[in-house]
Amino acid sequence: MKLTLSLDLLEQAFYYVSPMKPVSTVPLIYVTFLAEKEQVAYTTDNEAKFARKIERSFKAAFREIIQKNQEYREILDQDKLLPLEEHLAKQAQLIHAVRTELQKYPELNLIRIDVAGSWPVFQTEAGTLDLTE
């Protein structure tokens, strides 16, 4: 069975989104895993999720991802200006960190990573969000 989770770095939260991935206005990372029958549990609404032991491994990996990418998370959260190359480099580092951390846990059989939502790539001063207006 495939399980997809949405990683929201700004909120430091994750959500199960299988089978449909919602459209988002915030930067999200979708990670899809291949899970064995015994690795899956079900909510009271009959929605699939990781069994408790597997979810603990995922949470540990997710905490590491958040911690190791704190600087970029703050840049995204504060809508800071960065050169094009720096945004792309930081996004690549983030995706690499997600992959590396999740692969440290053999029980997490990662099969796909997607980025979705609104990721900044190029922005000038005129494109800065002014939250006071």
Side-chain angles (χ1 to χ4, degrees):
M1 161 182 254
K2 292 180 184 175
L3 276 179
T4 301
L5 286 86
S6 160
L7 309 182
D8 186 338
L9 300 177
L10 299 179
E11 294 295 324
Q12 299 182 33
F14 68 90
Y15 309 95
Y16 290 92
V17 295
S18 294
M20 298 197 2
K21 300 174 189 170
V23 176
S24 175
T25 58
V26 298
L28 295 177
I29 300 172
Y30 292 122
V31 288
T32 303
F33 300 93
L34 190 58
E36 300 295 326
K37 189 175 183 177
E38 61 274 357
Q39 293 178 311
V40 177
Y42 291 89
T43 66
T44 54
D45 296 329
N46 204 28
E47 295 174 2
K49 64 178 230 152
F50 278 131
R52 184 173 290 156
K53 180 181 176 188
I54 306 301
E55 190 171 84
R56 274 195 294 263
S57 296
F58 177 79
K59 285 180 180 179
F62 186 59
R63 279 191 300 272
E64 286 297 314
I65 292 165
I66 294 292
Q67 184 178 24
K68 289 181 179 178
N69 293 281
Q70 186 67 25
E71 177 189 346
Y72 190 50
R73 193 185 77 73
E74 288 172 6
I75 289 169
L76 290 173
D77 194 33
Q78 297 171 7
D79 201 33
K80 288 186 180 175
L81 291 177
L82 288 180
L84 168 69
E85 294 79 15
E86 193 172 346
H87 261 304
L88 294 176
K90 289 197 178 292
Q91 288 171 9
Q93 289 170 355
L94 174 62
I95 298 305
H96 180 70
V98 168
R99 184 173 155 239
T100 302
E101 283 303 318
L102 292 174
Q103 288 180 335
K104 288 181 181 177
Y105 297 88
E107 64 272 22
L108 297 173
N109 188 5
L110 179 66
I111 59 173
R112 185 178 176 105
I113 298 176
D114 298 303
V115 291
S118 180
W119 288 86
V121 175
F122 175 76
Q123 173 179 301
T124 64
E125 188 65 40
T128 305
L129 296 176
D130 186 1
L131 301 177
T132 61
E133 291 181 357

